[in-house]
Short mmCIF file of all heavy atoms in Angstrom, two decimals:
data_model
loop_
_atom_site.label_atom_id
_atom_site.label_comp_id
_atom_site.label_asym_id
_atom_site.label_seq_id
_atom_site.Cartn_x
_atom_site.Cartn_y
_atom_site.Cartn_z
N LEU A 1092 42.74 -31.39 -12.02
CA LEU A 1092 42.68 -30.00 -12.50
C LEU A 1092 43.99 -29.27 -12.36
O LEU A 1092 44.12 -28.15 -12.87
CB LEU A 1092 41.58 -29.26 -11.71
CG LEU A 1092 40.17 -29.78 -11.86
CD1 LEU A 1092 39.26 -29.14 -10.83
CD2 LEU A 1092 39.67 -29.54 -13.23
N GLY A 1093 44.97 -29.83 -11.61
CA GLY A 1093 46.18 -29.18 -11.36
C GLY A 1093 45.98 -27.92 -10.44
O GLY A 1093 46.70 -26.94 -10.58
N ASP A 1094 45.02 -28.06 -9.53
CA ASP A 1094 44.69 -26.93 -8.66
C ASP A 1094 44.93 -27.29 -7.21
O ASP A 1094 44.07 -27.88 -6.54
CB ASP A 1094 43.21 -26.56 -8.89
CG ASP A 1094 42.74 -25.38 -8.08
OD1 ASP A 1094 43.56 -24.80 -7.31
OD2 ASP A 1094 41.58 -24.99 -8.25
N GLU A 1095 46.13 -26.93 -6.72
CA GLU A 1095 46.49 -27.26 -5.34
C GLU A 1095 45.67 -26.54 -4.31
O GLU A 1095 45.61 -26.90 -3.15
CB GLU A 1095 47.95 -26.97 -5.08
CG GLU A 1095 48.92 -27.91 -5.87
CD GLU A 1095 50.37 -27.60 -5.61
OE1 GLU A 1095 50.68 -26.80 -4.70
OE2 GLU A 1095 51.21 -28.14 -6.33
N SER A 1096 45.00 -25.43 -4.70
CA SER A 1096 44.19 -24.68 -3.74
C SER A 1096 42.77 -25.17 -3.65
O SER A 1096 42.02 -24.67 -2.76
CB SER A 1096 44.19 -23.19 -4.19
OG SER A 1096 43.45 -23.01 -5.40
N LEU A 1097 42.39 -26.17 -4.41
CA LEU A 1097 41.02 -26.64 -4.36
C LEU A 1097 40.61 -27.15 -2.98
O LEU A 1097 39.51 -26.81 -2.52
CB LEU A 1097 40.79 -27.72 -5.46
CG LEU A 1097 39.36 -28.25 -5.58
CD1 LEU A 1097 38.40 -27.09 -5.92
CD2 LEU A 1097 39.29 -29.32 -6.61
N PRO A 1098 41.43 -27.93 -2.27
CA PRO A 1098 41.00 -28.36 -0.92
C PRO A 1098 40.71 -27.19 0.00
O PRO A 1098 39.74 -27.25 0.77
CB PRO A 1098 42.20 -29.18 -0.42
CG PRO A 1098 42.80 -29.74 -1.68
CD PRO A 1098 42.66 -28.60 -2.65
N GLU A 1099 41.50 -26.14 -0.07
CA GLU A 1099 41.24 -24.95 0.79
C GLU A 1099 39.92 -24.28 0.37
O GLU A 1099 39.12 -23.87 1.27
CB GLU A 1099 42.39 -23.97 0.65
CG GLU A 1099 42.21 -22.68 1.49
CD GLU A 1099 42.19 -22.97 3.00
OE1 GLU A 1099 42.69 -24.00 3.45
OE2 GLU A 1099 41.57 -22.13 3.69
N THR A 1100 39.62 -24.17 -0.90
CA THR A 1100 38.38 -23.57 -1.37
C THR A 1100 37.19 -24.38 -0.87
O THR A 1100 36.21 -23.84 -0.40
CB THR A 1100 38.36 -23.52 -2.91
OG1 THR A 1100 39.51 -22.77 -3.34
CG2 THR A 1100 37.09 -22.91 -3.43
N ILE A 1101 37.27 -25.71 -0.99
CA ILE A 1101 36.19 -26.59 -0.56
C ILE A 1101 36.05 -26.50 0.99
O ILE A 1101 34.90 -26.44 1.50
CB ILE A 1101 36.43 -28.03 -1.01
CG1 ILE A 1101 36.45 -28.12 -2.56
CG2 ILE A 1101 35.36 -28.98 -0.48
CD1 ILE A 1101 35.23 -27.63 -3.26
N ALA A 1102 37.15 -26.48 1.70
CA ALA A 1102 37.11 -26.37 3.17
C ALA A 1102 36.35 -25.17 3.60
O ALA A 1102 35.51 -25.18 4.53
CB ALA A 1102 38.50 -26.39 3.76
N LYS A 1103 36.65 -24.01 2.96
CA LYS A 1103 35.95 -22.77 3.30
C LYS A 1103 34.48 -22.87 3.04
O LYS A 1103 33.65 -22.38 3.79
CB LYS A 1103 36.59 -21.61 2.56
CG LYS A 1103 37.95 -21.23 3.10
CD LYS A 1103 38.55 -20.08 2.31
CE LYS A 1103 39.94 -19.74 2.84
NZ LYS A 1103 40.56 -18.68 2.04
N SER A 1104 34.11 -23.49 1.92
CA SER A 1104 32.70 -23.63 1.56
C SER A 1104 31.99 -24.52 2.60
O SER A 1104 30.91 -24.18 3.04
CB SER A 1104 32.59 -24.27 0.17
OG SER A 1104 31.25 -24.51 -0.18
N VAL A 1105 32.62 -25.64 2.94
CA VAL A 1105 32.04 -26.53 3.97
C VAL A 1105 31.90 -25.80 5.28
O VAL A 1105 30.90 -25.87 5.97
CB VAL A 1105 32.87 -27.80 4.11
CG1 VAL A 1105 32.44 -28.63 5.33
CG2 VAL A 1105 32.79 -28.68 2.86
N GLY A 1106 32.94 -25.05 5.65
CA GLY A 1106 32.97 -24.39 6.95
C GLY A 1106 31.92 -23.32 7.07
O GLY A 1106 31.53 -22.97 8.21
N ALA A 1107 31.50 -22.76 5.98
CA ALA A 1107 30.43 -21.72 6.04
C ALA A 1107 29.16 -22.26 6.64
O ALA A 1107 28.41 -21.48 7.28
CB ALA A 1107 30.17 -21.16 4.65
N SER A 1108 28.90 -23.56 6.49
CA SER A 1108 27.68 -24.11 7.04
C SER A 1108 27.92 -25.09 8.18
O SER A 1108 27.03 -25.37 8.99
CB SER A 1108 26.86 -24.78 5.94
OG SER A 1108 27.63 -25.80 5.31
N SER A 1109 29.13 -25.64 8.28
CA SER A 1109 29.43 -26.61 9.28
C SER A 1109 30.92 -26.63 9.70
O SER A 1109 31.70 -27.31 9.09
CB SER A 1109 29.00 -28.01 8.87
OG SER A 1109 29.36 -28.98 9.87
N PRO A 1110 31.26 -25.87 10.71
CA PRO A 1110 32.64 -25.84 11.18
C PRO A 1110 33.15 -27.23 11.58
O PRO A 1110 34.32 -27.57 11.35
CB PRO A 1110 32.64 -24.90 12.37
CG PRO A 1110 31.49 -24.01 12.11
CD PRO A 1110 30.46 -24.88 11.44
N THR A 1111 32.29 -28.03 12.13
CA THR A 1111 32.69 -29.40 12.51
C THR A 1111 33.06 -30.25 11.32
O THR A 1111 34.09 -30.91 11.31
CB THR A 1111 31.52 -30.09 13.29
OG1 THR A 1111 31.22 -29.32 14.45
CG2 THR A 1111 31.89 -31.51 13.68
N THR A 1112 32.21 -30.18 10.28
CA THR A 1112 32.53 -30.95 9.06
C THR A 1112 33.77 -30.39 8.38
O THR A 1112 34.54 -31.14 7.80
CB THR A 1112 31.30 -30.90 8.11
OG1 THR A 1112 30.16 -31.40 8.81
CG2 THR A 1112 31.55 -31.78 6.89
N GLU A 1113 33.96 -29.06 8.41
CA GLU A 1113 35.16 -28.45 7.86
C GLU A 1113 36.43 -29.06 8.53
O GLU A 1113 37.35 -29.45 7.86
CB GLU A 1113 35.17 -26.94 8.06
CG GLU A 1113 36.44 -26.32 7.57
CD GLU A 1113 36.58 -24.83 7.89
OE1 GLU A 1113 35.74 -24.28 8.63
OE2 GLU A 1113 37.54 -24.22 7.42
N GLU A 1114 36.42 -29.18 9.85
CA GLU A 1114 37.57 -29.71 10.54
C GLU A 1114 37.81 -31.20 10.20
O GLU A 1114 38.93 -31.61 9.98
CB GLU A 1114 37.46 -29.52 12.04
CG GLU A 1114 38.71 -29.96 12.78
CD GLU A 1114 40.00 -29.25 12.29
OE1 GLU A 1114 39.96 -28.07 11.94
OE2 GLU A 1114 41.04 -29.95 12.25
N LEU A 1115 36.72 -31.93 10.10
CA LEU A 1115 36.86 -33.34 9.66
C LEU A 1115 37.39 -33.47 8.26
O LEU A 1115 38.27 -34.31 7.96
CB LEU A 1115 35.47 -34.03 9.75
CG LEU A 1115 34.90 -34.24 11.13
CD1 LEU A 1115 33.45 -34.65 11.04
CD2 LEU A 1115 35.73 -35.33 11.90
N PHE A 1116 36.95 -32.56 7.36
CA PHE A 1116 37.44 -32.52 5.96
C PHE A 1116 38.94 -32.17 5.95
O PHE A 1116 39.72 -32.86 5.29
CB PHE A 1116 36.62 -31.53 5.20
CG PHE A 1116 37.13 -31.24 3.82
CD1 PHE A 1116 36.91 -32.14 2.77
CD2 PHE A 1116 37.91 -30.09 3.57
CE1 PHE A 1116 37.41 -31.88 1.51
CE2 PHE A 1116 38.39 -29.84 2.31
CZ PHE A 1116 38.17 -30.74 1.27
N ARG A 1117 39.32 -31.12 6.68
CA ARG A 1117 40.71 -30.70 6.67
C ARG A 1117 41.61 -31.81 7.21
O ARG A 1117 42.70 -32.06 6.70
CB ARG A 1117 40.88 -29.43 7.49
CG ARG A 1117 40.35 -28.22 6.82
CD ARG A 1117 40.58 -26.95 7.69
NE ARG A 1117 40.03 -25.76 7.11
CZ ARG A 1117 40.62 -25.02 6.20
NH1 ARG A 1117 41.81 -25.32 5.73
NH2 ARG A 1117 40.05 -23.92 5.73
N THR A 1118 41.18 -32.48 8.27
CA THR A 1118 41.93 -33.59 8.81
C THR A 1118 42.09 -34.72 7.81
O THR A 1118 43.21 -35.27 7.64
CB THR A 1118 41.26 -34.13 10.13
OG1 THR A 1118 41.22 -33.04 11.08
CG2 THR A 1118 41.99 -35.32 10.67
N ALA A 1119 41.02 -35.03 7.11
CA ALA A 1119 41.07 -36.06 6.10
C ALA A 1119 42.04 -35.69 4.94
O ALA A 1119 42.84 -36.53 4.49
CB ALA A 1119 39.67 -36.38 5.55
N VAL A 1120 42.00 -34.42 4.51
CA VAL A 1120 42.91 -33.97 3.46
C VAL A 1120 44.34 -34.10 3.91
O VAL A 1120 45.21 -34.61 3.21
CB VAL A 1120 42.55 -32.57 3.00
CG1 VAL A 1120 43.68 -31.97 2.11
CG2 VAL A 1120 41.25 -32.51 2.27
N ARG A 1121 44.61 -33.67 5.14
CA ARG A 1121 46.00 -33.72 5.67
C ARG A 1121 46.46 -35.19 5.74
O ARG A 1121 47.62 -35.51 5.42
CB ARG A 1121 46.06 -33.09 7.04
CG ARG A 1121 46.08 -31.57 7.06
CD ARG A 1121 46.45 -30.99 8.37
NE ARG A 1121 45.57 -31.45 9.48
CZ ARG A 1121 44.46 -30.81 9.88
NH1 ARG A 1121 44.04 -29.72 9.26
NH2 ARG A 1121 43.73 -31.27 10.86
N THR A 1122 45.54 -36.06 6.15
CA THR A 1122 45.93 -37.49 6.26
C THR A 1122 46.21 -38.07 4.87
O THR A 1122 47.21 -38.81 4.73
CB THR A 1122 44.77 -38.26 6.92
OG1 THR A 1122 44.52 -37.72 8.24
CG2 THR A 1122 45.06 -39.75 7.06
N ILE A 1123 45.41 -37.74 3.92
CA ILE A 1123 45.62 -38.26 2.53
C ILE A 1123 46.95 -37.77 2.01
O ILE A 1123 47.73 -38.53 1.41
CB ILE A 1123 44.46 -37.81 1.60
CG1 ILE A 1123 43.15 -38.52 2.01
CG2 ILE A 1123 44.80 -38.06 0.13
CD1 ILE A 1123 41.94 -37.85 1.44
N MET A 1124 47.26 -36.49 2.19
CA MET A 1124 48.49 -35.93 1.69
C MET A 1124 49.73 -36.49 2.39
O MET A 1124 50.74 -36.76 1.80
CB MET A 1124 48.46 -34.37 1.76
CG MET A 1124 47.32 -33.76 0.97
SD MET A 1124 47.17 -34.32 -0.75
CE MET A 1124 48.69 -33.64 -1.42
N ALA A 1125 49.59 -36.67 3.73
CA ALA A 1125 50.69 -37.27 4.49
C ALA A 1125 50.98 -38.70 4.01
O ALA A 1125 52.13 -39.11 3.89
CB ALA A 1125 50.40 -37.24 5.96
N GLU A 1126 49.92 -39.47 3.79
CA GLU A 1126 50.08 -40.84 3.30
C GLU A 1126 50.77 -40.85 1.97
O GLU A 1126 51.66 -41.68 1.72
CB GLU A 1126 48.73 -41.51 3.25
CG GLU A 1126 48.83 -43.05 2.94
CD GLU A 1126 48.84 -43.39 1.49
OE1 GLU A 1126 48.47 -42.51 0.63
OE2 GLU A 1126 49.28 -44.50 1.13
N ARG A 1127 50.40 -39.93 1.08
CA ARG A 1127 51.01 -39.85 -0.25
C ARG A 1127 52.51 -39.57 -0.13
O ARG A 1127 53.33 -40.19 -0.82
CB ARG A 1127 50.42 -38.72 -1.06
CG ARG A 1127 49.12 -39.07 -1.69
CD ARG A 1127 48.72 -37.89 -2.56
NE ARG A 1127 47.55 -38.24 -3.34
CZ ARG A 1127 47.06 -37.47 -4.29
NH1 ARG A 1127 47.64 -36.35 -4.60
NH2 ARG A 1127 45.99 -37.84 -4.93
N ARG A 1128 52.88 -38.59 0.71
CA ARG A 1128 54.30 -38.27 0.88
C ARG A 1128 55.08 -39.44 1.46
O ARG A 1128 56.18 -39.75 1.03
CB ARG A 1128 54.48 -37.06 1.80
CG ARG A 1128 54.07 -35.71 1.13
CD ARG A 1128 54.45 -34.50 1.99
NE ARG A 1128 53.78 -34.50 3.23
CZ ARG A 1128 52.57 -33.99 3.45
NH1 ARG A 1128 51.88 -33.46 2.42
NH2 ARG A 1128 52.00 -34.01 4.63
N ALA A 1129 54.48 -40.10 2.44
CA ALA A 1129 55.17 -41.27 3.07
C ALA A 1129 55.30 -42.39 2.07
O ALA A 1129 56.37 -43.05 1.97
CB ALA A 1129 54.41 -41.69 4.29
N ARG A 1130 54.28 -42.66 1.30
CA ARG A 1130 54.31 -43.74 0.30
C ARG A 1130 55.39 -43.44 -0.76
O ARG A 1130 56.14 -44.32 -1.18
CB ARG A 1130 52.96 -43.93 -0.34
CG ARG A 1130 52.90 -45.15 -1.25
CD ARG A 1130 51.53 -45.59 -1.53
NE ARG A 1130 50.78 -45.93 -0.35
CZ ARG A 1130 50.87 -47.06 0.37
NH1 ARG A 1130 51.74 -47.96 -0.01
NH2 ARG A 1130 50.12 -47.28 1.41
N LYS A 1131 55.48 -42.18 -1.18
CA LYS A 1131 56.49 -41.80 -2.18
C LYS A 1131 57.91 -41.98 -1.61
O LYS A 1131 58.77 -42.54 -2.30
CB LYS A 1131 56.28 -40.30 -2.58
CG LYS A 1131 57.37 -39.75 -3.48
CD LYS A 1131 57.17 -40.12 -4.90
CE LYS A 1131 58.07 -39.34 -5.84
NZ LYS A 1131 59.40 -39.90 -6.00
N LEU A 1132 58.10 -41.64 -0.37
CA LEU A 1132 59.39 -41.84 0.28
C LEU A 1132 59.70 -43.29 0.34
O LEU A 1132 60.85 -43.71 0.01
CB LEU A 1132 59.39 -41.21 1.68
CG LEU A 1132 60.64 -41.42 2.48
CD1 LEU A 1132 61.86 -40.80 1.81
CD2 LEU A 1132 60.44 -40.86 3.87
N LEU A 1133 58.75 -44.13 0.74
CA LEU A 1133 58.96 -45.56 0.80
C LEU A 1133 59.30 -46.15 -0.54
O LEU A 1133 60.28 -46.91 -0.71
CB LEU A 1133 57.72 -46.23 1.39
CG LEU A 1133 57.76 -47.75 1.45
CD1 LEU A 1133 58.91 -48.24 2.38
CD2 LEU A 1133 56.43 -48.29 1.99
N GLU A 1134 58.56 -45.76 -1.60
CA GLU A 1134 58.87 -46.22 -2.93
C GLU A 1134 60.24 -45.84 -3.40
O GLU A 1134 60.98 -46.64 -3.98
CB GLU A 1134 57.79 -45.71 -3.91
CG GLU A 1134 56.43 -46.38 -3.72
CD GLU A 1134 55.32 -45.69 -4.49
OE1 GLU A 1134 55.62 -44.70 -5.25
OE2 GLU A 1134 54.18 -46.16 -4.39
N ASP A 1135 60.63 -44.58 -3.12
CA ASP A 1135 61.96 -44.12 -3.49
C ASP A 1135 63.06 -44.94 -2.78
O ASP A 1135 64.06 -45.28 -3.39
CB ASP A 1135 62.11 -42.64 -3.17
CG ASP A 1135 61.27 -41.76 -4.10
OD1 ASP A 1135 60.76 -42.28 -5.11
OD2 ASP A 1135 61.14 -40.55 -3.78
N LYS A 1136 62.85 -45.19 -1.49
CA LYS A 1136 63.82 -45.98 -0.75
C LYS A 1136 63.95 -47.40 -1.32
O LYS A 1136 65.08 -47.93 -1.41
CB LYS A 1136 63.45 -46.02 0.75
CG LYS A 1136 63.53 -44.71 1.48
CD LYS A 1136 64.94 -44.27 1.67
CE LYS A 1136 65.01 -43.01 2.52
NZ LYS A 1136 66.37 -42.62 2.78
N LEU A 1137 62.80 -48.02 -1.65
CA LEU A 1137 62.87 -49.38 -2.21
C LEU A 1137 63.55 -49.40 -3.56
O LEU A 1137 64.33 -50.28 -3.85
CB LEU A 1137 61.46 -49.93 -2.28
CG LEU A 1137 60.82 -50.31 -0.95
CD1 LEU A 1137 59.34 -50.65 -1.15
CD2 LEU A 1137 61.58 -51.43 -0.27
N LYS A 1138 63.26 -48.38 -4.38
CA LYS A 1138 63.94 -48.31 -5.69
C LYS A 1138 65.42 -48.14 -5.54
O LYS A 1138 66.20 -48.73 -6.25
CB LYS A 1138 63.37 -47.13 -6.51
CG LYS A 1138 62.00 -47.44 -7.12
CD LYS A 1138 61.56 -46.23 -7.91
CE LYS A 1138 60.13 -46.42 -8.38
NZ LYS A 1138 59.61 -45.26 -9.10
N ALA A 1139 65.81 -47.31 -4.59
CA ALA A 1139 67.27 -47.09 -4.35
C ALA A 1139 67.98 -48.33 -3.86
O ALA A 1139 69.15 -48.48 -4.06
CB ALA A 1139 67.46 -45.94 -3.36
#
């Protein structure tokens, strides 16, 4: 969708009924995004 704010919107929705699940969700999103950044860096280094 090209919507970088979607994870935050979903986190707030989840958190309205389950703060525990919200934190698990936020942690998972951060992990996914960190892995993407690291993988991109690795690919760039290998290409170089």
Side-chain angles (χ1 to χ4, degrees):
L1092 299 170
D1094 183 357
E1095 293 180 10
S1096 68
L1097 185 59
E1099 180 63 24
T1100 302
I1101 299 300
K1103 287 178 182 178
S1104 175
V1105 169
S1108 57
S1109 176
T1111 300
T1112 305
E1113 177 187 7
E1114 187 53 40
L1115 291 168
F1116 171 80
R1117 287 181 182 276
T1118 299
V1120 168
R1121 284 192 302 270
T1122 301
I1123 292 164
M1124 300 310 293
E1126 188 273 343
R1127 280 184 173 190
R1128 285 189 299 275
R1130 186 160 304 280
K1131 173 80 168 84
L1132 177 62
L1133 177 60
E1134 289 170 359
D1135 291 347
K1136 293 288 186 178
L1137 289 172
K1138 283 181 186 175

